[in-house]
DNA sequence: TTGAAAGCGCTAACAG
DNA sequence: CTGTTAGCGCTTTCAA
């Protein structure tokens, strides 16, 4: 009785309603050009309902040569902590417009021929478009087969090979983080950055190129607030707990130690927490911390809970899917070969790790 | 030139090879019943290669009424930390056998009609089978539509509604964890368990029913090693950092405090770490800790790194996919309506949080 | 050893 | 306003 359960086809409905298959098709697809009497409509509708008819999208796809399928290629889904969010965001956007998601994992460690096969399995399925979510934004093997099917990159650092991409405005992250700290009254703010792309085969998502951009945004954000370079000491390390610990130690051992810390991600913030504890600094009383990425599970479970400046990956994926579908439907004037789409900005998730600096008489804002 | 890129069909190949479409189909599908001369075979093969022919699986599906598509329903993909692993495992298993994955997210907070629509979108696509990954093993809304299509549950606690499931043998977790601690020489081992299903709307994956089972396995594991109940004090709490902290405090404030702790998951272990620090106990010198779930990112980034007893969700998903495909192909004697499949057992990931107890003269094993 | 032809369920001209 | 009909690209009897 449930939709699609039996081999009930359009002609069964037609027979039951006493009309032709054309009429059924027209009614069910709400074809505007076809003028059908209301009572016939109703008859068809109820017959379809009675029989539990559901359209066979395979047949429809064969006929129209549109599958309404979006291929989603996820690099290293097993280790990408945002894989679930990406699927969620893309799926919601897709289903809202009648599409579905065909998902394949692709392993960066696999050879080029294997990776090519990953994408070709989607092409064999005749997906209408492809969403490609790289593990590290900024790098992209880009199988040549992309050429044939409209493709949009999810969270890649800008347009690659002429393929459009949806990426966050990376500088907005440091800006928001620095702003949060400045607002709390801090004037000496340190930055713990990711130590370059070389060390980035670890567990984190947005390293590599993104690391550079985040780091780049930091002095800019400070300068914009009227501070000179000395106000913002920077240390970098591996984008994990150890790296964060070492960098934080360097920063906090200084004579003019910062009272606020911006960390590249929450793993590095974990290290900063430990460094602070080792040195006898309480967070947030003696030291405030903000991280530039939110692994959810981690930030919320640190003690005190970590304030972050996050970019919901689901949002990114949903936007990419939207752009892709616009292109497929020719809806947008936006040509796919146009420049990179403006990505969403980071937003602050205030938790418990920011307070006024210890020597501040009066805080300068809310936090 | 790449596969599937153009509208090159079987008849183009036939024309190029100077044979009929039937022959092309026979050759390319390696139909055994058809006797085709080797040279014809070769001609067809090279023509197909030349033209960059790729089969149109939409047409094939329409004809054979088999899509070779597996629907994967993930509950709450955005918050399920194992979503990526599940996709990975299912995808690998599926692709190895010529299948692809159609993934949909389903939100436990959505109404029943919305959730039904989630599954029906898969049925409309005519997926051959469905993999259903619940957020919390043990509960299952089970849309009635499942009836029509073979379905296997991923990481559900046993067969539900007659639907087969692949679940880990939960008791093997506590057994391995306790074994690890016993092996290191500990004799007083505490257990920090999840505080029941009521509190489990949090961030973790395998709570609820699984919590009960893990807790149940603990005394059994101890008893099996020859200890009576008193050797294993148990405290429970919310399955997060706060809950773990509180439970650990209770355990460590005791006169006869345990020297080893088994935690329900690594979030609770984070709390135990903090409790130990507050009380001046160093890990692993004064206290050893093992957790029963591995969030990877977290366990590896604690300090010291947390030893866990983990169950790779990818493995679970791959097994479920395997069972499903066996059923679809009638390969297995295993009827789908048979009992729950035996799941994989937990395995120990030794990191740095286990050492001999402080008063041990000589450790009893390797760790 | 190979080919002709039917038809999977649907959509979209084109006639009525 | 509604129906006839020709395929979409492929597999698969059945004949040759």
């Amino acid at each position: 009785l449930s939709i699609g359960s039996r081999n009930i086809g359009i002609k069964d409905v037609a027979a039951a309603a006493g009309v032709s298959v054309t009429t059924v098709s027209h009614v069910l697809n709400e074809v505007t050009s076809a003028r059908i009497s209301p009572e016939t409509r109703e008859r068809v509708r109820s017959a379809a309902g009675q029989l539990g008819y559901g359209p066979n999208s395979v047949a429809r796809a064969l006929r129209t040569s549109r599958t309404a399928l979006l291929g989603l290629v996820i690099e290293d889904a097993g280790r990408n902590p945002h894989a679930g969010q990406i699927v969620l965001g893309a799926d919601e956007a897709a289903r809202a417009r009648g599409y579905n998601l065909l998902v394949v994992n692709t392993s960066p460690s696999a050879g080029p021929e294997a990776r090519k096969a990953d994408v070709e399995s989607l092409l064999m399925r005749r997906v209408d478009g492809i969403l490609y979510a790289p593990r590290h934004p900024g790098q992209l093997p880009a199988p040549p087969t992309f050429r044939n099917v409209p493709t949009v990159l999810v969270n890649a650092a800008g347009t690659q090979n002429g393929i459009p991409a949806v990426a966050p405005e990376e500088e907005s992250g440091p800006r928001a983080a620095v702003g949060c700290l400045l607002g709390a009254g801090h004037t000496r703010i340190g930055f713990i950055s990711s130590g370059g792309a070389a060390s980035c085969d670890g567990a984190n998502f947005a390293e590599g190129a993104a690391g550079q951009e985040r780091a780049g945004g930091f002095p800019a954000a400070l300068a914009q607030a009227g501070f000179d370079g000395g106000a913002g000491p920077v240390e970098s390390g591996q984008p994990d707990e150890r790296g964060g610990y070492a960098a934080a130690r360097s920063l906090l051992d200084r004579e003019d130690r910062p009272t606020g810390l911006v960390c590249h991600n929450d793993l590095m913030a974990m290290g900063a927490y430990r460094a602070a504890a080792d040195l006898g600094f309480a967070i947030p009383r003696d030291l405030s911390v903000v991280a530039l990425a939110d692994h959810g599970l981690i930030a919320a479970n640190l003690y005190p809970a970590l304030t972050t400046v996050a970019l919901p990956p689901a949002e990114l994926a949903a936007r990419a899917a939207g752009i892709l579908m616009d292109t497929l439907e020719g809806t947008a004037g936006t040509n796919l070969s146009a420049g990179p789409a403006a990505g969403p900005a980071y937003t602050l998730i205030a938790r418990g790790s920011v307070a006024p600096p210890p020597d501040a008489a009066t805080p300068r804002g809310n936090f």
Side-chain angles (χ1 to χ4, degrees), chain A residues 203-220:
Chain A
N204 212 343
F205 179 49
E207 314 305 339
Q212 318 307 330
E213 296 195 28
R214 289 187 203 167
F218 180 67

Side-chain angles (χ1 to χ4, degrees), chain A residues 264-353:
Chain A
H264 174 79
N265 64 24
D266 38 13
L267 259 20
M268 297 191 89
M270 283 178 77
Y273 271 51
R274 179 159 62 92
D278 281 4
L279 295 170
F281 297 135
I283 297 173
R285 197 193 57 198
D286 305 315
L287 181 71
S288 292
V289 180
V290 184
L292 287 179
D294 187 68
H295 283 153
L297 232 39
I298 294 176
N301 281 282
L302 286 173
Y303 189 87
L306 177 66
T307 292
T308 60
V309 163
L311 178 70
E315 170 78 13
L316 225 48
R319 289 211 193 195
I323 290 175
L324 185 54
M325 292 183 291
D326 285 349
T327 306
L328 294 176
E329 293 163 14
T331 295
T334 324
N335 193 329
L336 245 201
S337 54
Y346 286 79
T347 59
L348 181 76
I349 302 178
R351 286 191 268 244
S353 62

Side-chain angles (χ1 to χ4, degrees), chain A residues 33 50 311 332:
Chain A
S33 64
Q50 228 74 57
L311 178 70

Side-chain angles (χ1 to χ4, degrees), chain A residues 179-246:
Chain A
C180 165
L181 256 12
L182 290 175
H186 294 265
T187 53
R188 291 191 308 273
I189 300 175
F191 186 66
I192 294 181
S193 84
S194 167
S199 60
C200 290
D201 54 359
N204 212 343
F205 179 49
E207 314 305 339
Q212 318 307 330
E213 296 195 28
R214 289 187 203 167
F218 180 67
L222 273 183
Q224 205 174 330
F227 291 93
D228 63 8
V234 176
E235 285 289 341
S236 64
Q238 309 263 16
D240 57 18
E241 203 268 355
R242 310 293 126 114
Y245 177 82

Side-chain angles (χ1 to χ4, degrees), chain A residues 57-356:
Chain A
S57 32
V58 175
R60 181 186 306 203
L62 180 59
R63 180 59 234 250
T64 61
S65 62
R66 285 193 59 256
T67 52
L69 241 30
L70 260 30
L72 172 57
V73 183
I74 305 187
E75 277 187 2
D76 212 1
R79 281 191 291 192
N80 185 329
H82 297 304
Q85 297 252 16
I86 291 172
V87 169
L88 172 68
D91 182 53
E92 271 189 355
R95 297 249 300 286
R97 292 172 65 169
Y99 288 76
N100 275 110
L101 244 40
L102 207 41
V103 180
V104 299
N105 172 258
T106 190
S107 166
S109 58
E113 61 306 318
R115 309 206 57 192
K116 190 169 177 183
D118 293 334
V119 173
E120 297 208 322
S121 78
L122 294 179
L123 297 176
M124 237 185 55
R125 295 294 186 173
R126 297 300 193 269
V127 296
D128 291 337
I130 291 180
L131 292 170
Y132 194 101
R135 179 83 172 71
H136 299 295
Q139 98 201 35
L140 175 67
T145 36
F146 276 175
R147 275 282 168 75
N148 314 307
V149 172
T151 300
V152 175
L153 304 179
V154 181
N155 196 21
T159 301
Q160 308 256 345
N161 306 348
I163 300 176
V166 174
E169 194 204 334
E170 280 289 348
E171 303 211 345
S172 69
R175 203 182 307 132
V178 167
C180 165
L181 256 12
L182 290 175
H186 294 265
T187 53
R188 291 191 308 273
I189 300 175
F191 186 66
I192 294 181
S193 84
S194 167
S199 60
C200 290
D201 54 359
N204 212 343
F205 179 49
E207 314 305 339
Q212 318 307 330
E213 296 195 28
R214 289 187 203 167
F218 180 67
L222 273 183
Q224 205 174 330
F227 291 93
D228 63 8
V234 176
E235 285 289 341
S236 64
Q238 309 263 16
D240 57 18
E241 203 268 355
R242 310 293 126 114
Y245 177 82
R249 282 298 297 244
S250 303
L251 249 22
L252 297 176
D253 281 338
R254 297 165 61 110
E255 195 72 13
D256 57 338
R257 63 172 185 83
T259 59
L261 245 33
V262 175
C263 301
H264 174 79
N265 64 24
D266 38 13
L267 259 20
M268 297 191 89
M270 283 178 77
Y273 271 51
R274 179 159 62 92
D278 281 4
L279 295 170
F281 297 135
I283 297 173
R285 197 193 57 198
D286 305 315
L287 181 71
S288 292
V289 180
V290 184
L292 287 179
D294 187 68
H295 283 153
L297 232 39
I298 294 176
N301 281 282
L302 286 173
Y303 189 87
L306 177 66
T307 292
T308 60
V309 163
L311 178 70
E315 170 78 13
L316 225 48
R319 289 211 193 195
I323 290 175
L324 185 54
M325 292 183 291
D326 285 349
T327 306
L328 294 176
E329 293 163 14
T331 295
T334 324
N335 193 329
L336 245 201
S337 54
Y346 286 79
T347 59
L348 181 76
I349 302 178
R351 286 191 268 244
S353 62
V354 174

